Amino acid sequence: MAKLNRKYLKPFKNIFILIVVVFAVWMIFFDANSYLIHRELNTEIDELETEKEYYNKEIEKDKKAIKELSSELGVEKLAREKYYMKKANEEIFIIEYEDSIPKENKND
């Protein structure tokens, strides 16, 4: 049994190998620039990039809406569809389909 332990401990008697192992452990776990911190920062970067893509899409949608509302017809369309406004000589009929009406929850 003692020979078996000596066999595995023999490489660690070399000071250079010992220094390299200690340095590697230090750099992976304990240093300010450790692998664990880099992995955490990389996941945060990925999350921020997906958030950036989402906001860029929202900006494009808003630019499209602004462009649409910059014309007289676009403003009139929005006023008619969203706010149910009408001209003086018009009548408006709002048609709701059964599947578009939100159902009330009877459990409340």
Side-chain angles (χ1 to χ4, degrees):
M1 191 77 167
K3 289 183 179 182
L4 186 62
N5 286 341
R6 286 187 211 154
K7 179 180 162 185
Y8 291 114
L9 294 177
K10 189 173 183 179
F12 292 106
K13 289 183 180 180
N14 188 344
I15 189 73
F16 298 113
I17 292 176
L18 187 61
I19 290 173
V20 168
V21 169
V22 169
F23 178 74
V25 168
W26 180 264
M27 291 305 290
I28 291 173
F29 296 107
F30 302 114
D31 193 47
N33 299 317
S34 71
Y35 170 74
L36 301 174
I37 292 174
H38 274 284
R39 190 175 66 185
E40 184 179 317
L41 292 175
N42 284 337
T43 56
E44 188 175 340
I45 287 171
D46 292 338
E47 290 172 3
L48 290 173
E49 285 177 352
T50 56
E51 193 174 319
K52 178 182 170 185
E53 290 174 13
Y54 167 76
Y55 285 124
N56 281 334
K57 288 178 186 176
E58 289 295 315
I59 288 171
E60 290 300 319
K61 240 195 296 187
D62 290 343
K63 284 181 182 179
K64 186 177 179 183
I66 289 171
K67 186 177 180 181
E68 186 177 303
L69 290 174
S70 64
S71 69
E72 187 70 29
L73 293 175
V75 173
E76 185 176 340
K77 180 181 175 185
L78 177 74
R80 287 175 179 270
E81 291 178 0
K82 190 166 184 172
Y83 299 108
Y84 305 118
M85 294 182 170
K86 63 178 186 132
K87 292 183 179 179
N89 57 355
E90 290 181 331
E91 289 186 27
I92 294 179
F93 297 97
I94 300 172
I95 301 172
E96 291 183 349
Y97 296 101
E98 191 172 318
D99 59 345
S100 67
I101 299 173
K103 295 181 182 178
E104 292 183 21
N105 203 355
K106 293 181 181 179
N107 295 335
D108 290 339

PDB file of all heavy atoms in Angstrom, residues 61-75:
ATOM      1  N   LYS A  61     -40.429  48.504 -34.688  1.00  0.00           N
ATOM      2  CA  LYS A  61     -41.895  48.541 -34.661  1.00  0.00           C
ATOM      3  C   LYS A  61     -42.393  49.957 -34.392  1.00  0.00           C
ATOM      4  O   LYS A  61     -43.341  50.423 -35.017  1.00  0.00           O
ATOM      5  CB  LYS A  61     -42.408  47.601 -33.565  1.00  0.00           C
ATOM      6  CG  LYS A  61     -43.296  46.515 -34.071  1.00  0.00           C
ATOM      7  CD  LYS A  61     -44.075  45.817 -32.983  1.00  0.00           C
ATOM      8  CE  LYS A  61     -43.225  45.092 -31.993  1.00  0.00           C
ATOM      9  NZ  LYS A  61     -44.003  44.288 -31.041  1.00  0.00           N
ATOM     10  N   ASP A  62     -41.747  50.640 -33.444  1.00  0.00           N
ATOM     11  CA  ASP A  62     -42.149  52.002 -33.108  1.00  0.00           C
ATOM     12  C   ASP A  62     -41.886  52.967 -34.257  1.00  0.00           C
ATOM     13  O   ASP A  62     -42.692  53.864 -34.519  1.00  0.00           O
ATOM     14  CB  ASP A  62     -41.434  52.475 -31.848  1.00  0.00           C
ATOM     15  CG  ASP A  62     -41.921  51.759 -30.602  1.00  0.00           C
ATOM     16  OD1 ASP A  62     -43.009  51.142 -30.651  1.00  0.00           O
ATOM     17  OD2 ASP A  62     -41.197  51.803 -29.579  1.00  0.00           O
ATOM     18  N   LYS A  63     -40.758  52.786 -34.953  1.00  0.00           N
ATOM     19  CA  LYS A  63     -40.480  53.635 -36.114  1.00  0.00           C
ATOM     20  C   LYS A  63     -41.537  53.448 -37.192  1.00  0.00           C
ATOM     21  O   LYS A  63     -41.975  54.417 -37.827  1.00  0.00           O
ATOM     22  CB  LYS A  63     -39.097  53.319 -36.688  1.00  0.00           C
ATOM     23  CG  LYS A  63     -37.948  53.886 -35.890  1.00  0.00           C
ATOM     24  CD  LYS A  63     -36.625  53.558 -36.538  1.00  0.00           C
ATOM     25  CE  LYS A  63     -35.461  54.087 -35.732  1.00  0.00           C
ATOM     26  NZ  LYS A  63     -34.166  53.760 -36.341  1.00  0.00           N
ATOM     27  N   LYS A  64     -41.958  52.204 -37.377  1.00  0.00           N
ATOM     28  CA  LYS A  64     -43.000  51.915 -38.358  1.00  0.00           C
ATOM     29  C   LYS A  64     -44.319  52.579 -37.945  1.00  0.00           C
ATOM     30  O   LYS A  64     -45.020  53.161 -38.785  1.00  0.00           O
ATOM     31  CB  LYS A  64     -43.174  50.405 -38.484  1.00  0.00           C
ATOM     32  CG  LYS A  64     -44.117  49.976 -39.551  1.00  0.00           C
ATOM     33  CD  LYS A  64     -44.168  48.457 -39.640  1.00  0.00           C
ATOM     34  CE  LYS A  64     -45.153  48.013 -40.704  1.00  0.00           C
ATOM     35  NZ  LYS A  64     -45.261  46.548 -40.749  1.00  0.00           N
ATOM     36  N   ALA A  65     -44.644  52.525 -36.656  1.00  0.00           N
ATOM     37  CA  ALA A  65     -45.875  53.154 -36.168  1.00  0.00           C
ATOM     38  C   ALA A  65     -45.796  54.675 -36.302  1.00  0.00           C
ATOM     39  O   ALA A  65     -46.784  55.315 -36.693  1.00  0.00           O
ATOM     40  CB  ALA A  65     -46.110  52.761 -34.713  1.00  0.00           C
ATOM     41  N   ILE A  66     -44.642  55.252 -36.014  1.00  0.00           N
ATOM     42  CA  ILE A  66     -44.474  56.701 -36.160  1.00  0.00           C
ATOM     43  C   ILE A  66     -44.617  57.112 -37.623  1.00  0.00           C
ATOM     44  O   ILE A  66     -45.254  58.121 -37.942  1.00  0.00           O
ATOM     45  CB  ILE A  66     -43.117  57.146 -35.587  1.00  0.00           C
ATOM     46  CG1 ILE A  66     -43.138  57.040 -34.064  1.00  0.00           C
ATOM     47  CG2 ILE A  66     -42.764  58.561 -36.010  1.00  0.00           C
ATOM     48  CD1 ILE A  66     -41.790  57.248 -33.417  1.00  0.00           C
ATOM     49  N   LYS A  67     -44.024  56.317 -38.500  1.00  0.00           N
ATOM     50  CA  LYS A  67     -44.132  56.624 -39.929  1.00  0.00           C
ATOM     51  C   LYS A  67     -45.581  56.542 -40.389  1.00  0.00           C
ATOM     52  O   LYS A  67     -46.046  57.366 -41.174  1.00  0.00           O
ATOM     53  CB  LYS A  67     -43.259  55.646 -40.722  1.00  0.00           C
ATOM     54  CG  LYS A  67     -43.187  55.949 -42.189  1.00  0.00           C
ATOM     55  CD  LYS A  67     -42.248  54.986 -42.887  1.00  0.00           C
ATOM     56  CE  LYS A  67     -42.186  55.306 -44.380  1.00  0.00           C
ATOM     57  NZ  LYS A  67     -41.304  54.367 -45.080  1.00  0.00           N
ATOM     58  N   GLU A  68     -46.302  55.544 -39.879  1.00  0.00           N
ATOM     59  CA  GLU A  68     -47.703  55.390 -40.247  1.00  0.00           C
ATOM     60  C   GLU A  68     -48.543  56.543 -39.712  1.00  0.00           C
ATOM     61  O   GLU A  68     -49.453  57.032 -40.378  1.00  0.00           O
ATOM     62  CB  GLU A  68     -48.229  54.070 -39.686  1.00  0.00           C
ATOM     63  CG  GLU A  68     -49.630  53.729 -40.111  1.00  0.00           C
ATOM     64  CD  GLU A  68     -50.054  52.381 -39.584  1.00  0.00           C
ATOM     65  OE1 GLU A  68     -49.378  51.390 -39.868  1.00  0.00           O
ATOM     66  OE2 GLU A  68     -51.079  52.343 -38.871  1.00  0.00           O
ATOM     67  N   LEU A  69     -48.227  57.022 -38.509  1.00  0.00           N
ATOM     68  CA  LEU A  69     -48.998  58.099 -37.906  1.00  0.00           C
ATOM     69  C   LEU A  69     -48.597  59.482 -38.423  1.00  0.00           C
ATOM     70  O   LEU A  69     -49.256  60.464 -38.109  1.00  0.00           O
ATOM     71  CB  LEU A  69     -48.844  58.072 -36.386  1.00  0.00           C
ATOM     72  CG  LEU A  69     -49.525  56.897 -35.685  1.00  0.00           C
ATOM     73  CD1 LEU A  69     -49.173  56.907 -34.215  1.00  0.00           C
ATOM     74  CD2 LEU A  69     -51.017  56.955 -35.888  1.00  0.00           C
ATOM     75  N   SER A  70     -47.553  59.543 -39.208  1.00  0.00           N
ATOM     76  CA  SER A  70     -47.138  60.855 -39.723  1.00  0.00           C
ATOM     77  C   SER A  70     -48.029  61.322 -40.872  1.00  0.00           C
ATOM     78  O   SER A  70     -48.003  62.491 -41.231  1.00  0.00           O
ATOM     79  CB  SER A  70     -45.678  60.801 -40.184  1.00  0.00           C
ATOM     80  OG  SER A  70     -45.545  59.913 -41.273  1.00  0.00           O
ATOM     81  N   SER A  71     -48.833  60.427 -41.420  1.00  0.00           N
ATOM     82  CA  SER A  71     -49.743  60.829 -42.493  1.00  0.00           C
ATOM     83  C   SER A  71     -51.152  61.038 -41.930  1.00  0.00           C
ATOM     84  O   SER A  71     -51.510  60.525 -40.866  1.00  0.00           O
ATOM     85  CB  SER A  71     -49.782  59.759 -43.589  1.00  0.00           C
ATOM     86  OG  SER A  71     -50.409  58.598 -43.109  1.00  0.00           O
ATOM     87  N   GLU A  72     -51.945  61.780 -42.645  1.00  0.00           N
ATOM     88  CA  GLU A  72     -53.323  62.071 -42.228  1.00  0.00           C
ATOM     89  C   GLU A  72     -54.169  60.799 -42.188  1.00  0.00           C
ATOM     90  O   GLU A  72     -54.965  60.601 -41.278  1.00  0.00           O
ATOM     91  CB  GLU A  72     -53.938  63.087 -43.199  1.00  0.00           C
ATOM     92  CG  GLU A  72     -55.293  63.614 -42.794  1.00  0.00           C
ATOM     93  CD  GLU A  72     -55.226  64.535 -41.593  1.00  0.00           C
ATOM     94  OE1 GLU A  72     -54.201  65.195 -41.398  1.00  0.00           O
ATOM     95  OE2 GLU A  72     -56.217  64.571 -40.845  1.00  0.00           O
ATOM     96  N   LEU A  73     -53.970  59.921 -43.156  1.00  0.00           N
ATOM     97  CA  LEU A  73     -54.744  58.685 -43.204  1.00  0.00           C
ATOM     98  C   LEU A  73     -54.388  57.756 -42.046  1.00  0.00           C
ATOM     99  O   LEU A  73     -55.265  57.065 -41.508  1.00  0.00           O
ATOM    100  CB  LEU A  73     -54.516  57.962 -44.534  1.00  0.00           C
ATOM    101  CG  LEU A  73     -55.060  58.669 -45.779  1.00  0.00           C
ATOM    102  CD1 LEU A  73     -54.647  57.913 -47.036  1.00  0.00           C
ATOM    103  CD2 LEU A  73     -56.571  58.785 -45.696  1.00  0.00           C
ATOM    104  N   GLY A  74     -53.141  57.741 -41.661  1.00  0.00           N
ATOM    105  CA  GLY A  74     -52.724  56.902 -40.546  1.00  0.00           C
ATOM    106  C   GLY A  74     -53.329  57.349 -39.233  1.00  0.00           C
ATOM    107  O   GLY A  74     -53.756  56.520 -38.418  1.00  0.00           O
ATOM    108  N   VAL A  75     -53.385  58.649 -39.005  1.00  0.00           N
ATOM    109  CA  VAL A  75     -53.983  59.184 -37.783  1.00  0.00           C
ATOM    110  C   VAL A  75     -55.482  58.890 -37.772  1.00  0.00           C
ATOM    111  O   VAL A  75     -56.042  58.481 -36.745  1.00  0.00           O
ATOM    112  CB  VAL A  75     -53.724  60.703 -37.668  1.00  0.00           C
ATOM    113  CG1 VAL A  75     -54.489  61.300 -36.501  1.00  0.00           C
ATOM    114  CG2 VAL A  75     -52.244  60.981 -37.534  1.00  0.00           C
TER     115      VAL A  75
END
